[in-house]
Amino acid sequence: MSTTPPPQTSKTAPPDAPHPAGSAAEQAGGDGAFGWLRALGPRGRRAFAGAFGGYALDSYDYFTLPLSMVALAAYFGLDSGQTGLFTTVTLVVSAIGGALAGVLADRIGRVKALMVTVVTYAVFTVACGFAPSYEWLLVFRALQGLGFGGEWAVGAILVAEYASARHRGRTLGAIQSSWAVGWALAAVTYTLVFSFVGGDLAWRVMFWTGALPALLVIWMRRRVHDAPEAVAVREQSAEKGSFTAIFKPGLLRVTLFAGLLSTGVQGGYYTLATWVPTYLKTERELSVVGTGGYLTFLISGAFAGYLTGGYLTDLLGRRRNIWLFALLSAVCILAYANIPAGANTLLLVLGFPLGFCMSAIFSGFGSYLSELYPTAVRGTGQGFTYNTGRAVGAVFPTMVGFLADSWGVGGALVFGAIGYGIAALALLGLPETRGKELV
């Protein structure tokens, strides 16, 4: 059974009903640069908007920490290992939050679970701004990870169940691009706040702005709904939201290798996302405004990479797209970390391909993980594998933190290239799923 609703035979079909896969409406709307968006139908587009906004603000709340890292280290007197622990704790706890959110999505629905995750990461991001000590900040950041971990998996599934097999890669790639939007918003806010507010207060203000997602939840509560046929399939299953189900013989291999794939990609990504701002400020000696300018190139490349990778994952297939960009990401990391002192123009220019490659590899994740699992346990499977990867991949930023004192941040960044090698090997145990209908 397809997760796309069957063709409407009545002339009185509701105007906002999603288009059936392969229908004349989808074929007509499926051409052109934005055909994938038209083909979703009104309900699917509202689901897309909710997931896009949720993930953008998830990104925004995540990056409040890396951008404030230097100020936090100065305020609390932290060394590199302690600051790296912030990211590790966030990502490890996010694995728990993501797995639980996946189960919740299979049991109470995608939209309700999505709203729970957004409220959770918003509340605890704001709480970080009130932290009186390093220990309390670590606790609040860990709790923020509960919501942070679940948002992407739940939002990606919500949209995947509206999208057709023909367009799913580029549709989910567009959802991934919202991460760059949230990153850019955080970078702009960082530049403004740290330019006009004293360092001891600026990092608190950055966290307080994390209250923005509350506005999205109010809109989602009224406007966004789960895909109707996915609801029917989920409700008829006796195994919905079951961890046991994703470790049964039929899915065990998929779960193990998908978790390993996620570990490699996210280990490489979070190494860069966590430490590049610190690298630019400490080893390249850039100002606040200068760091923001360099990050603009990196983020612009990331946005273009998400969109391009979405198209390529439909064109080349899920596995080939990930293989291609795993190789290119590793090469870019090695090049970026070994740019000679004083060659900051080259550093600026190379930021674009670095951001492009490390983001394009993510574009296939939403569609690929959704296609690897049946509807009844799709939330559980995707939430578990994606966030297990986050937890294990979180070791990479911490390793960079501890190695930075002896190798320098730039030298330690090459550790991220190992992650992309792991991702390439994991694909050997997974099937190609391009063109698969969600059942």
Side-chain angles (χ1 to χ4, degrees):
M1 181 182 291
S2 167
T3 56
T4 313
Q8 297 287 340
T9 56
S10 171
K11 294 183 179 180
T12 59
D16 65 344
H19 298 311
S23 70
E26 181 187 295
Q27 296 300 328
D31 298 324
F34 293 98
W36 57 269
L37 186 59
R38 291 192 297 271
L40 284 171
R43 287 187 180 181
R45 287 194 289 272
R46 288 198 294 270
F48 177 89
F52 188 98
Y55 196 47
L57 292 170
D58 196 32
S59 170
Y60 178 89
D61 279 15
Y62 173 79
F63 279 105
T64 53
L65 176 65
L67 289 168
S68 303
M69 197 85 87
V70 173
L72 286 170
Y75 186 85
F76 290 115
L78 309 177
D79 59 30
S80 296
Q82 288 174 307
T83 52
L85 191 58
F86 278 127
T87 298
T88 298
V89 166
T90 303
L91 299 182
V92 169
V93 177
S94 78
I96 301 171
L100 293 177
V103 172
L104 205 61
D106 285 338
R107 293 188 177 182
I108 69 172
R110 313 325 192 191
V111 174
K112 289 180 181 178
L114 188 61
M115 290 192 292
V116 169
T117 65
V118 172
V119 169
T120 301
Y121 73 66
V123 167
F124 288 109
T125 297
V126 173
C128 287
F130 293 98
S133 65
Y134 167 72
E135 290 76 17
W136 273 109
L137 183 57
L138 205 59
V139 170
F140 289 144
R141 189 62 180 181
L143 293 173
Q144 187 263 1
L146 287 175
F148 168 72
E151 200 287 334
W152 178 84
V154 177
I157 294 167
L158 171 66
V159 177
E161 290 175 342
Y162 274 105
S164 68
R166 177 187 174 194
H167 300 115
R168 193 172 296 120
R170 69 201 76 177
T171 303
L172 273 295
I175 291 291
Q176 289 279 178
S177 74
S178 65
W179 181 266
V181 173
W183 190 2
L185 180 61
V188 170
T189 304
Y190 158 79
T191 302
L192 293 173
V193 170
F194 277 79
S195 295
F196 295 102
V197 180
D200 288 351
L201 180 61
W203 66 268
R204 295 186 184 275
V205 174
M206 279 293 294
F207 284 121
W208 292 337
T209 62
L212 287 171
L215 299 176
L216 175 68
V217 172
I218 295 172
W219 177 82
M220 286 176 57
R221 185 175 180 181
R222 292 177 174 270
R223 303 285 292 169
V224 183
H225 305 280
D226 288 8
E229 189 169 312
V231 172
V233 172
R234 205 167 56 243
E235 289 178 347
Q236 292 168 7
S237 174
E239 288 190 323
K240 59 184 178 181
S242 167
F243 282 119
T244 304
I246 66 173
F247 285 99
K248 286 184 176 179
L251 289 174
L252 176 61
R253 181 186 178 92
V254 166
T255 298
L256 294 178
F257 280 97
L260 188 62
L261 172 67
S262 183
T263 296
V265 171
Q266 295 191 82
Y269 180 87
Y270 284 112
T271 295
L272 293 167
T274 302
W275 287 104
V276 163
T278 299
Y279 171 64
L280 293 174
K281 292 186 72 174
T282 58
E283 296 196 11
R284 310 306 298 205
E285 299 181 345
L286 298 179
S287 65
V288 168
V289 175
T291 298
Y294 278 70
L295 288 176
T296 298
F297 270 75
L298 189 67
I299 295 167
S300 298
F303 184 75
Y306 285 129
L307 296 179
T308 304
Y311 278 90
L312 289 178
T313 198
D314 281 337
L315 180 66
L316 302 176
R318 309 330 186 199
R319 296 168 83 241
R320 288 181 181 176
N321 184 69
I322 294 173
W323 257 321
L324 172 64
F325 287 107
L327 173 62
L328 293 177
S329 296
V331 170
C332 284
I333 290 176
L334 294 173
Y336 196 78
N338 288 283
I339 293 174
N344 282 355
T345 300
L346 181 57
L347 186 76
L348 180 71
V349 173
L350 190 58
F352 189 92
L354 176 64
F356 184 95
C357 293
M358 72 188 222
S359 300
I361 194 172
F362 268 110
S363 292
F365 260 50
S367 53
Y368 196 29
L369 295 181
S370 293
E371 291 160 353
L372 287 171
Y373 289 95
T375 300
V377 294
R378 184 167 295 124
T380 305
Q382 187 155 333
F384 178 83
T385 55
Y386 188 81
N387 288 288
T388 296
R390 265 184 177 163
V392 182
V395 173
F396 287 66
T398 300
M399 289 297 295
V400 172
F402 285 109
L403 292 172
D405 291 334
S406 55
W407 293 14
V409 176
L413 280 177
V414 300
F415 196 76
I418 297 173
Y420 292 112
I422 292 172
L425 291 174
L427 288 170
L428 297 175
L430 294 170
E432 175 57 58
T433 60
R434 179 178 56 168
K436 182 179 179 179
E437 293 292 343
L438 297 187
V439 293

